[in-house]
Amino acid sequence: MPVTRIDFPIESLTQPHSEEEIQRKLAQERARLASMMGLDSGPVRHFKRPFGAEDRNKVTILFGGLTWKHERVIQAVFQGCGYNCEILPVPNVSAFQLGKEYGNNGQCNPTYFTVGNLVQYLQYLEGEGMSKQEIIDRHVFFTAGSCGPCRFGMYESEYRLALQNAGFDGFRVLLFQQNDGVKAASGEAGLKFTVDFGMGMFNALNLGDIMNEMIFRVRPYEVEKGKTDTVFKESVDTLCTMLRDRKPFEDHDDLPEWMAKKIRANKGKKWEVWVNSLLKVREQLYGEPYKDALNAVREQLATIEVDRLRVKPVVKIIGEFWAQTTEGDGNFHMFEFLEREGAAVLVEPIATWVMYMMYQAKARAAARRALDAPHKKVQWWELHKMAVNELKFRQKQWLFGVGEHFYARQYHRIVDRLGGIAHHLIDQKEMAEMANPFYNEFARGGEGHLEVGKNVYYTKNHLCHMVLALKPFGCMPSSQSDGVQSAVANHFREMIFLPIETSGEGEINAHSRVQMALGEAKVKARMEFDQALKSTGKRLEDIKDYVAEHPELRNLFYPVPHVHGYAGVAANFVLHVSDLMNGKKKPARVPQELLQPRMAAAPAFGD
Ligand code: SF4
């Protein structure tokens, strides 16, 4: 194959350029390459068939790849907005193999799993008697996409190729572009991003995140085996019913009659559309159906009794987005395995990723301040231009700030409403500052600096005993992070950090490596507990007797304060109970409505 020499004058690297000049040169180069490859002639041929409004009732939207808690609530929102929607099964090894068979070589692990999973499901439909054409006509796949810089940017074309190779050419894939947010949706009229849909999805993501974290926080300490799973299933059902069945707010219906009359007379006017949209947002976030569902969930969860005296190492999961989220073969069923081995797992919410995206946009805008200013090279006497530049910059920062504040506030509202069991979101600026000495916050791709930032954050603040990084085979950004992590681990000698490369095979090897590191973490947790107990000067039996006499301490919602330096639940609990026994602290009161009848009948604390 002939080698093409690209003429690139060396002085262009050394001379400063304005942004416009860079853009112009980029466009020139793009045009040159397109013409070289013969891509510059003829109209652009779109390979997707549109998903039109007329298809909406006939077509089923397929999606998947998250945890079952996220998927159930997201499905409920789709259904509530009038779409048929099915969740794909959790990707397994045979899906991975199909992905390899039908996809390109040299892809990262999540590509094979997710692409193969879609093909596998379509083949299953075919096996059930549906013709290929029916499958193509009556289904679309909805997934997230990106422009890179890692292989995430190639997902859509990978789906396309594998579907084509598997005989499902023309199957529609709708992309939600992570950088463009709601603008995404591939411009397909069949999927309409209304205020109700957008806010429903916002609530669903937060609820999925918080329920997912809570289940892992509760299950290791449940007194009755299996109770957590049963109750959480019921609770997710409650949330789904609310998300699916809640009536969308309409100003002409739901405002008091004297206002509704005026609205009806002005229906469709610009200001009316705005008012209606704002009221819809308010109702989605603060409406009675939402509050009632959260209250009902809290009551359901309150039936789980916990034993916080179990000494368990806390394992913080970090890593690539998909590998740290999926609950199947894609990460060797790692969460299940860790719990079986006696650990308490600390999972990562999707909200961290959303906050990261917003933080990145804000930090980048700050770094590009001079480049993006409307007036360049302003002289000191040009006060008006300076003021315009400053105003533009502040406006942008303020907008990002409002977005961050809004998201975090709504997230924390649900956390608090569900008893404060899940964590609040970490301040992204703090995390970036912790990562920066090792990994530049502007290095994009995958989780960027997050893997390093989280490792440092959780270790420095003593919030876990071990950090487990789940890194997919062939993941470029995670490989980069892992390289840096060895410098991080050298710096923090007390850190137990284990990177695990996940792939379609090698589960036993991965489990055995985790077991070894977990052994160390268990020792660490036990020593921490012993030290905490010793510092109280009490015998464990006395602590246990006290807990037995005070049923409130076995209530899921009993707030145990976190003592800096202690990561384990049992260590913190022992310190707190000791304080109570010494009469140092007033016991926290669990709201009466959350107590079981049996518990409510018991004497209240301090009586
Ligand atoms: S972050 Fe890694 S695993 Fe995920 S899409 Fe990018 S390259 Fe693949």
Side-chain angles (χ1 to χ4, degrees):
M1 192 177 163
V3 176
T4 313
R5 197 175 70 83
I6 297 177
D7 287 325
F8 197 75
I10 194 70
E11 62 273 17
S12 66
L13 294 173
T14 51
Q15 285 172 9
H17 291 287
S18 71
E19 182 69 3
E20 290 79 22
E21 201 177 339
I22 294 171
Q23 291 304 333
R24 189 178 51 76
K25 291 203 165 177
L26 262 175
Q28 257 176 18
E29 184 58 13
R30 194 174 290 127
R32 191 185 69 79
L33 288 172
S35 124
M36 196 171 91
M37 305 303 287
L39 298 173
D40 59 343
S41 56
V44 178
R45 195 173 69 84
H46 290 283
F47 52 81
K48 280 185 294 187
R49 285 190 321 124
F51 173 40
E54 67 287 355
D55 289 334
R56 207 173 296 153
N57 296 331
K58 298 178 234 150
V59 165
T60 300
I61 296 173
L62 306 174
F63 79 102
L66 302 171
T67 75
W68 68 264
K69 292 126 272 179
H70 290 94
E71 288 168 350
R72 291 274 328 275
V73 284
I74 288 174
Q75 183 189 33
V77 175
F78 269 122
Q79 291 170 336
C81 291
Y83 299 102
N84 304 317
C85 178
E86 286 294 334
I87 302 169
L88 290 182
V90 179
N92 55 14
V93 173
S94 45
F96 167 80
Q97 277 153 357
L98 277 180
K100 282 196 123 174
E101 187 182 337
Y102 292 120
N104 265 318
N105 285 335
Q107 293 303 306
C108 56
N109 191 31
T111 322
Y112 290 136
F113 268 104
T114 49
V115 170
N117 199 37
L118 176 61
V119 171
Q120 183 166 259
Y121 185 72
L122 301 188
Q123 288 180 340
Y124 156 78
L125 292 179
E126 203 180 2
E128 290 291 290
M130 224 183 244
S131 74
K132 275 209 166 86
Q133 197 52 49
E134 270 178 300
I135 294 171
I136 293 169
D137 289 344
R138 287 172 37 193
H139 297 84
V140 294
F141 180 62
F142 183 66
T143 186
S146 154
C147 64
C150 71
R151 292 190 188 93
F152 197 21
M154 298 300 294
Y155 268 33
E156 190 191 7
S157 50
E158 276 304 310
Y159 277 113
R160 186 83 25 217
L161 178 76
L163 287 164
Q164 202 174 26
N165 290 345
F168 296 98
D169 197 10
F171 189 90
R172 288 161 286 181
V173 176
L174 306 187
L175 275 198
F176 180 86
Q177 292 282 359
Q178 64 167 7
N179 294 331
D180 297 337
V182 200
K183 200 169 109 196
S186 324
E188 309 287 3
L191 190 60
K192 267 185 110 181
F193 278 86
T194 61
V195 177
D196 289 318
F197 182 76
M199 290 309 296
M201 282 297 173
F202 173 76
N203 285 337
L205 265 191
N206 284 346
L207 290 169
D209 268 351
I210 292 162
M211 293 300 280
N212 188 41
E213 183 180 342
M214 281 168 70
I215 198 168
F216 284 106
R217 303 260 299 156
V218 174
R219 193 164 42 209
Y221 304 98
E222 67 185 4
V223 170
E224 191 187 325
K225 197 163 168 34
K227 176 99 179 171
T228 309
D229 285 341
T230 311
V231 173
F232 268 76
K233 276 194 184 111
E234 286 165 14
S235 303
V236 171
D237 283 346
T238 306
L239 294 172
C240 287
T241 309
M242 177 273 294
L243 291 167
R244 191 174 43 239
D245 299 346
R246 76 188 294 182
K247 177 192 164 305
F249 178 90
E250 292 301 343
D251 51 4
H252 60 270
D253 262 355
D254 299 311
L255 286 174
E257 188 47 32
W258 65 271
M259 283 169 108
K261 248 191 215 165
K262 281 201 173 123
I263 294 283
R264 273 182 227 121
N266 291 286
K267 195 79 196 136
K269 289 198 176 147
K270 217 172 182 180
W271 66 264
E272 185 277 335
V273 174
W274 268 99
V275 169
N276 198 27
S277 301
L278 287 175
L279 291 174
K280 271 175 182 287
V281 171
R282 189 186 171 282
E283 205 278 336
Q284 284 274 352
L285 297 173
Y286 299 96
E288 289 308 316
Y290 196 48
K291 285 197 221 158
D292 291 348
L294 291 178
N295 290 342
V297 166
R298 207 170 57 172
E299 277 169 33
Q300 285 163 335
L301 297 182
T303 59
I304 304 172
E305 196 180 344
V306 287
D307 173 10
R308 293 186 176 90
L309 283 172
R310 293 178 189 164
V311 182
K312 287 179 176 286
V314 179
V315 178
K316 172 66 196 160
I317 303 291
I318 63 168
E320 189 267 347
F321 181 86
W322 186 80
Q324 67 173 342
T325 308
T326 188
E327 298 178 309
D329 288 345
N331 62 12
F332 305 132
H333 299 264
M334 196 53 83
F335 309 140
E336 217 182 305
F337 174 75
L338 283 165
E339 283 194 351
R340 252 195 341 262
E341 289 294 310
V345 181
L346 208 51
V347 289
E348 193 62 52
I350 295 173
T352 305
W353 177 254
V354 179
M355 294 299 285
Y356 164 74
M357 300 293 289
M358 285 195 271
Y359 170 77
Q360 281 283 305
K362 190 175 166 191
R364 270 172 202 283
R368 291 175 56 91
R369 184 177 181 166
L371 283 173
D372 294 341
H375 300 289
K376 309 275 183 319
K377 295 183 185 156
V378 179
Q379 302 299 325
W380 65 267
W381 63 85
E382 296 176 301
L383 295 181
H384 174 71
K385 287 183 181 174
M386 272 189 212
V388 170
N389 284 353
E390 184 67 18
L391 202 71
K392 276 271 166 213
F393 173 69
R394 295 275 155 219
Q395 231 175 18
K396 236 183 193 174
Q397 293 291 303
W398 183 81
L399 271 177
F400 287 128
V402 168
E404 284 176 322
H405 179 76
F406 175 80
Y407 200 101
R409 184 174 144 62
Q410 295 308 325
Y411 188 90
H412 297 155
R413 256 186 73 220
I414 308 177
V415 169
D416 296 342
R417 215 159 173 116
L418 290 181
I421 294 169
H423 285 103
H424 279 206
L425 298 170
I426 302 174
D427 178 21
Q428 287 290 330
K429 191 163 187 290
E430 190 182 346
M431 193 136 68
E433 279 165 5
M434 285 187 172
N436 261 333
F438 305 96
Y439 200 105
N440 189 292
E441 63 178 301
F442 293 127
R444 286 170 61 220
E447 291 269 308
H449 68 269
L450 282 184
E451 291 188 42
V452 170
K454 285 178 202 167
N455 199 2
V456 178
Y457 182 90
Y458 279 86
T459 306
K460 240 181 162 176
N461 293 311
H462 302 280
L463 295 171
C464 67
H465 299 106
M466 166 180 160
V467 177
L468 177 63
L470 296 172
K471 164 205 136 146
F473 171 75
C475 172
M476 297 180 293
S478 278
S479 306
Q480 204 167 296
S481 267
D482 276 2
V484 174
Q485 296 284 22
S486 52
V488 178
N490 249 335
H491 196 80
F492 298 96
R493 291 304 171 103
E494 76 279 20
M495 179 183 278
I496 302 179
F497 170 72
L498 179 69
I500 284 287
E501 193 173 73
T502 59
S503 82
E505 56 264 329
E507 178 164 331
I508 301 204
N509 182 26
H511 282 179
S512 115
R513 288 187 60 214
V514 172
Q515 247 166 353
M516 278 196 286
L518 197 58
E520 270 182 67
K522 279 182 183 170
V523 172
K524 199 169 166 185
R526 171 56 64 184
M527 278 168 56
E528 177 195 82
F529 178 78
D530 291 345
Q531 188 189 330
L533 183 63
K534 198 167 161 207
S535 73
T536 67
K538 300 195 170 57
R539 293 179 323 133
L540 183 57
E541 287 67 32
D542 298 332
I543 303 264
K544 279 184 178 168
D545 289 347
Y546 188 86
V547 174
E549 285 162 21
H550 295 86
E552 281 192 338
L553 290 170
R554 301 198 299 276
N555 188 291
L556 181 63
F557 293 113
Y558 185 87
V560 179
H562 178 80
V563 180
H564 185 73
Y566 292 92
V569 169
N572 279 292
F573 188 57
V574 136
L575 292 172
H576 179 60
V577 174
S578 167
D579 279 350
L580 295 177
M581 289 167 81
N582 294 339
K584 268 200 202 161
K585 280 199 174 125
K586 271 266 170 231
R589 282 191 186 273
V590 182
Q592 282 300 311
E593 68 273 16
L594 295 182
L595 295 177
Q596 285 302 286
R598 181 170 59 79
M599 290 183 174
F605 248 1
D607 288 349

